[in-house]
Amino acid sequence: DGLFRMNIYGNNDEKLNIVLLDMFGKKAYSENFGLSHGNNVLEINLSKKNASGIYTLLLTSDKNMMEKQIMIR
């Protein structure tokens, strides 16, 4: 269905920037979300915008950064 779901725990109310890079480092998707304290479920529809392949997912908040590899089929 193309929906990518993430469960993220927020320590504080903060902003989260999500960037998806293709294997060439080109930005394929970018969006800002507001996180609240506690569990947050984020849903992103990636199927309509991106071809199948391996992507790098960058999550950046005021205090943290995380990088993960994901596969879109």
Side-chain angles (χ1 to χ4, degrees), residues 4-40:
F4 184 74
R5 291 176 188 88
M6 292 182 285
N7 294 315
I8 298 176
Y9 185 85
N11 291 320
N12 299 306
D13 292 345
E14 59 187 318
K15 293 182 181 184
L16 177 71
N17 179 258
I18 296 177
V19 176
L20 189 69
L21 303 173
D22 67 14
M23 66 177 143
F24 302 108
K26 181 180 172 189
K27 188 185 297 184
Y29 177 87
S30 179
E31 189 168 351
N32 292 311
F33 290 91
L35 296 180
S36 58
H37 179 73
N39 289 322
N40 296 268

Side-chain angles (χ1 to χ4, degrees), residues 4 20-24 28 46-47 49-57 68-73:
F4 184 74
L20 189 69
L21 303 173
D22 67 14
M23 66 177 143
F24 302 108
L46 298 176
S47 65
K49 299 178 182 165
N50 300 295
S52 297
I54 304 288
Y55 290 83
T56 301
L57 181 68
K68 290 282 188 182
Q69 298 290 316
I70 65 168
M71 181 187 306
I72 296 177
R73 297 179 194 206

